[in-house]
Amino acid sequence: MTEAVLELRNLTKRIGTRKIVDNLTFDIPAGEVFGFLGPNGAGKTTTIRMIVGLISMTKGEARIKGVSVKEQFELAMTHVGAIVENPEMYKFLTGYQNLVHFARRHSGVTKQRIDEVVNMLGLQNRIHEKVKRYSLGMRQRLGVAQAILHRPSLLILDEPTNGLDPAGIRELRDYLRKLTREEGISVIVSSHLLSEMELMCDRVAIIQAGKLVDIRSMQDAREQSQSKIVLEAGDPVAAQHLLAQLFDAAQLAVDGTRIEIAADKSAIPNIARVLVAADIEVLGIHAVQKTLEEQFLEITGGEMVV
Amino acid sequence: MSSLSQLIRNENMKIYRRPRTWLMILFLIGTVALMSGLMKWDESKHDAGDWRAAVTERNAELSHVVQNNAELGEQSRSDLQNQIKLNEYYLSQNIDPDRLSVWSYVNSSASLIILVTLLTVVVAADMIAGEFTWGTIKLLLVGPASRTKLMLAKYVSTMAFALLLLVLCFAAALVAGGVLAGFDGLSLPDISIDASGMIHEGNMLFHALEKYGYSVVMLVMYVTMAFMISAAFRSSSMAIAFSLLCMLVGNTLSALLSGYDWVKYLIFPNIDLTQYMDGATPLRPEMTLGFSVSMLIAYYIAFQLIAWFLFTKRDVAG
Ligand SMILES: Nc1ncnc2c1ncn2[C@@H]1O[C@H](COP(=O)(O)OP(=O)(O)O)[C@@H](O)[C@H]1O
Ligand SMILES: [Mg+2]
């Protein structure tokens, strides 16, 4: 991991007696698309609201590029752009006027920079129309435009795919990639959908009931995605005996006529040879990749909403 | 980090890019024009021909009353005598006291400051609550501007809007008066008589500004109250409704409760400082100008503190 763009230390939010966010401590490395993954109500939005100062922290702290949000709010915010839930804009203003509004808060956002961002997000054709005539996807993009005007180090998007159609989601993915590449921005996205995070993120933190469950690199997860071999044999009991000589007992699982072997598919020729030599009928044999989803379900104890 | 002036520009943009604001401005100017027209129409109905004869006749009647009514009180007697003196002065200076001058229109327009107050209260009540209603509060707060700074920017823009309306009200009345009564009346003095019977000539512009000034105290108080209410509510319609309600019901309420002595600690009986001018009586006999001014200052500070507390210390969720 390189230098951390965001550090969370014991971040906690209690409302009443309930801990909505419970003692989150982790670093988010710079230059990545980082995911907050967790079911609805896990506390993702609450965590983000604390990071950007919309709500107070009951305990702990958040540092953006080493600057404490609590102690030096204004300075910390110069490094962040964010969209929390829906990016609501001033509907009676045009897209461009909205951008001017948000640009004025920062020092040094030029006209050229506004145009550059408008073009980057493909908004140039309708930027001078009133926002009330924008589609949800365009509002989303305008929200992102607003958040990156000042070249922040960290862009935070809360459930950015909500309400977008598949084409919109693909677009989002593309320009997030573009942003990390062209602007060197680190991105945090939250989602309750693993399938989206899988394609978008380099790394995800899995959050459940306000607690950090695990942090996973998506690349590792893909590489380590253990495969298994599923075998159907005419005589499963005999087959199991034979296989016990080749594999550990822990690698074998019998389910009726199906035998699952936790092994890479390179073991298939050997298995087939042994079974055929012992005259056991092989009804079927194939390798299965354990999906990321199954891995995550394992981690979260099967409660993931996907 | 955001500079205050840029934040104020933002707030101004949000005020003046809304069609509603321009409707308000048109409405105010229209009302000034309507009032001026009615004044002119009313004057033309009473046109008596020879004003010198009319004033002379009126003075004769007044002298008759003063001489023949023995039971007349000391105060009324001197009031009447002052009136006679004033009329004689008008005759000697050749000024028709019943003829409207451009300044009459300007002075009457001071009574429209209640409308300016009403319109500004609507804008003020919308200032913070509106951001919640639109859902834009989140994007507004997530930026390198502290909430205190944002609030200050919003308050400054609201007050600037009030000032704009006041200037427009004054200017519209001046133009309407000039058109209807002639701009030559601009040089007319403000003639008044004091208790000892001395006649003074004052500056009319100063007199008009003084009239505006007293009403502006009320304007500032109501607008600041609406601003506080705006920080308390998360719906602009609720904030507007509640602010207008306070403003409209407050006076009636304090008049109804004038029998109780604690009523003087409410804001409403203190808000109209003209009650201490020109022999008018305050709501309760023990109230003084100093008392009312202190109460207003205390309320002003309380409004600002509560608004600040509500806006900067609360969680923004939902
Ligand atoms: N202001 C609040 N008062 C009470 N409960 C809240 C408040 N905000 C959020 N919650 C609760 O906290 C939990 C986490 O919410 P949230 O952070 O929005 O989850 P997520 O974004 O992961 O779906 C939810 O159960 C929600 O009902
Ligand atoms: Mg959420």
Side-chain angles (χ1 to χ4, degrees):
Chain A
M1 277 196 205
T2 47
E3 157 215 10
V5 67
L6 174 68
E7 303 155 64
L8 303 184
R9 293 289 173 272
N10 306 101
L11 193 63
T12 302
K13 180 71 183 180
R14 202 176 47 227
I15 294 183
T17 54
R18 203 170 135 225
K19 279 186 176 167
I20 293 171
V21 173
D22 194 357
N23 231 16
L24 289 187
T25 298
F26 58 93
D27 288 354
I28 293 177
E32 288 190 354
V33 179
F34 189 96
F36 283 180
L37 178 61
N40 281 322
K44 304 179 295 293
T45 300
T46 307
T47 305
I48 290 173
R49 282 180 192 275
M50 280 192 281
I51 296 170
V52 296
L54 283 175
I55 63 178
S56 61
M57 306 168 187
T58 307
K59 212 185 83 189
E61 74 169 339
R63 290 176 171 275
I64 298 164
K65 286 197 81 180
V67 181
S68 164
V69 172
K70 226 192 280 183
E71 279 151 30
Q72 287 179 282
F73 176 77
E74 293 194 334
L75 183 61
M77 286 301 114
T78 58
H79 301 306
V80 194
I83 300 179
V84 183
E85 292 177 327
N86 311 324
E88 300 291 350
M89 296 283 182
Y90 300 99
K91 293 202 172 71
F92 52 90
L93 300 179
T94 66
Y96 192 81
Q97 286 162 350
N98 267 287
L99 291 182
V100 167
H101 175 273
F102 292 108
R104 282 203 191 116
R105 305 189 301 183
H106 305 283
S107 48
V109 178
T110 58
K111 259 187 136 66
Q112 287 92 310
R113 173 62 182 165
I114 296 179
D115 292 339
E116 185 187 4
V117 170
V118 165
N119 288 329
M120 186 189 301
L121 293 170
L123 286 165
Q124 61 275 23
N125 291 332
R126 301 191 44 199
I127 195 67
H128 293 290
E129 277 181 37
K130 291 242 160 70
V131 167
K132 61 175 157 231
R133 298 220 294 269
Y134 279 22
S135 67
L136 189 68
M138 289 184 66
R139 283 181 202 183
Q140 188 82 44
R141 272 184 280 165
L142 190 62
V144 174
Q146 160 282 134
I148 61 170
L149 281 173
H150 56 298
R151 301 179 195 277
S153 311
L154 177 62
L155 174 64
I156 304 179
L157 306 176
D158 187 18
E159 304 265 1
T161 55
N162 258 7
L164 293 186
D165 57 11
I169 295 175
R170 191 156 15 128
E171 251 171 36
L172 174 77
R173 206 157 60 219
D174 290 345
Y175 63 69
L176 285 189
R177 284 273 161 239
K178 204 156 127 191
L179 284 175
T180 44
R181 216 172 38 237
E182 291 177 12
E183 305 241 319
I185 295 180
S186 312
V187 182
I188 296 178
V189 285
S190 81
S191 175
H192 61 283
L193 296 170
L194 171 69
S195 50
E196 288 168 2
M197 300 298 251
E198 229 176 314
L199 295 166
M200 225 180 298
C201 302
D202 300 307
R203 209 182 293 268
V204 295
I206 302 163
I207 297 170
Q208 219 186 6
K211 290 198 176 71
L212 178 69
V213 179
D214 195 15
I215 296 183
R216 289 242 162 164
S217 146
M218 296 310 274
Q219 199 181 348
D220 291 354
R222 269 187 292 270
E223 280 168 5
Q224 289 167 7
S225 64
Q226 309 120 336
S227 56
K228 60 185 176 188
I229 298 164
V230 178
L231 169 75
E232 273 187 83
D235 182 353
V237 181
Q240 200 191 350
H241 270 289
L242 272 176
L243 291 172
Q245 295 162 14
L246 294 175
F247 302 98
D248 291 341
Q251 283 175 279
L252 296 178
V254 184
D255 175 17
T257 61
R258 278 162 54 103
I259 301 172
E260 290 186 8
I261 307 148
D264 195 70
K265 65 175 173 222
S266 58
I268 289 181
N270 200 21
I271 295 170
R273 210 165 20 243
V274 171
L275 291 176
V276 170
D279 211 15
I280 295 170
E281 284 181 333
V282 176
L283 303 175
I285 184 165
H286 60 279
V288 182
Q289 288 276 322
K290 204 155 131 196
T291 63
L292 283 172
E293 203 166 300
E294 281 175 284
Q295 289 187 47
F296 281 114
L297 282 174
E298 237 165 59
I299 294 166
T300 59
E303 282 179 58
M304 183 68 75
V305 180
V306 283
Chain B
M1 268 160 264
S2 314
S3 76
L4 186 62
S5 63
Q6 295 293 63
L7 294 179
I8 292 173
R9 284 180 73 189
N10 274 349
E11 296 308 323
N12 285 342
M13 174 164 81
K14 285 182 271 185
I15 292 177
Y16 300 106
R17 289 282 180 189
R18 291 183 75 184
R20 186 187 74 179
T21 307
W22 295 98
L23 286 179
M24 285 181 173
I25 289 173
L26 281 180
F27 184 69
L28 177 68
I29 294 176
T31 308
V32 173
L34 185 69
M35 187 197 74
S36 308
L38 284 175
M39 282 170 71
K40 181 73 187 174
W41 175 72
D42 188 56
E43 183 193 29
S44 69
K45 273 203 322 189
H46 297 288
D47 207 352
D50 184 3
W51 70 270
R52 297 193 66 93
V55 171
T56 313
E57 189 185 328
R58 213 182 301 156
N59 257 4
E61 278 168 23
L62 287 173
S63 315
H64 186 74
V65 170
V66 170
Q67 277 155 22
N68 298 336
N69 281 22
E71 69 273 25
L72 211 58
E74 192 57 37
Q75 181 66 41
S76 321
R77 187 176 297 273
S78 79
D79 282 353
L80 289 178
Q81 277 162 347
N82 281 348
Q83 188 57 52
I84 295 168
K85 267 194 199 160
L86 210 52
N87 282 341
E88 280 163 359
Y89 189 75
Y90 286 136
L91 288 170
S92 71
Q93 297 291 308
N94 203 23
I95 297 171
D96 176 357
D98 296 328
R99 194 171 164 270
L100 296 178
S101 80
V102 53
W103 290 114
S104 318
Y105 292 93
V106 173
N107 286 331
S108 299
S109 75
S111 63
L112 290 181
I113 292 179
I114 187 75
L115 178 61
V116 171
T117 306
L118 216 67
L119 297 176
T120 314
V121 157
V122 170
V123 168
D126 217 6
M127 217 58 195
I128 294 173
E131 301 272 0
F132 280 92
T133 303
W134 299 326
T136 46
I137 186 72
K138 289 175 286 182
L139 289 186
L140 183 72
L141 294 183
V142 180
S146 68
R147 293 195 194 180
T148 306
K149 222 188 248 178
L150 282 168
M151 198 181 116
L152 186 60
K154 281 182 174 294
Y155 188 72
V156 169
S157 322
T158 310
M159 285 302 165
F161 178 68
L163 186 65
L164 173 76
L165 290 190
L166 284 174
V167 168
L168 285 176
C169 184
F170 191 95
L174 195 71
V175 170
V179 169
L180 294 174
F183 284 100
D184 49 343
L186 280 174
S187 57
L188 282 177
D190 169 36
I191 297 165
S192 59
I193 189 160
D194 66 17
S196 60
M198 282 285 288
I199 290 191
H200 299 277
E201 279 200 12
N203 184 326
M204 264 296 192
L205 178 65
F206 182 76
H207 179 71
L209 288 180
E210 196 182 30
K211 274 198 107 154
Y212 265 65
Y214 283 117
S215 308
V216 164
V217 171
M218 188 166 74
L219 171 97
V220 168
M221 293 307 297
Y222 277 128
V223 168
T224 308
M225 182 169 75
F227 197 73
M228 174 190 72
I229 292 171
S230 186
F233 285 89
R234 258 106 214 255
S235 134
S236 56
S237 43
M238 284 292 288
I240 292 172
F242 195 72
S243 302
L244 291 180
L245 194 78
C246 281
M247 195 180 150
L248 301 178
V249 171
N251 281 322
T252 328
L253 199 71
S254 52
L256 280 176
L257 297 173
S258 62
Y260 302 94
D261 69 342
W262 50 262
V263 82
K264 64 175 182 277
Y265 297 110
L266 295 178
I267 184 172
F268 307 105
N270 295 298
I271 211 163
D272 179 15
L273 292 181
T274 54
Q275 64 185 321
Y276 299 108
M277 311 293 137
D278 315 327
T281 48
L283 190 72
R284 294 208 38 98
E286 71 270 27
M287 287 167 66
T288 63
L289 179 63
F291 173 80
S292 283
V293 169
S294 323
M295 286 304 295
L296 291 181
I297 291 174
Y299 268 102
Y300 184 84
I301 293 172
F303 287 161
Q304 292 285 17
L305 280 180
I306 294 170
W308 179 80
F309 191 81
L310 288 173
F311 186 62
T312 61
K313 297 295 177 206
R314 276 161 97 192
D315 280 359
V316 175

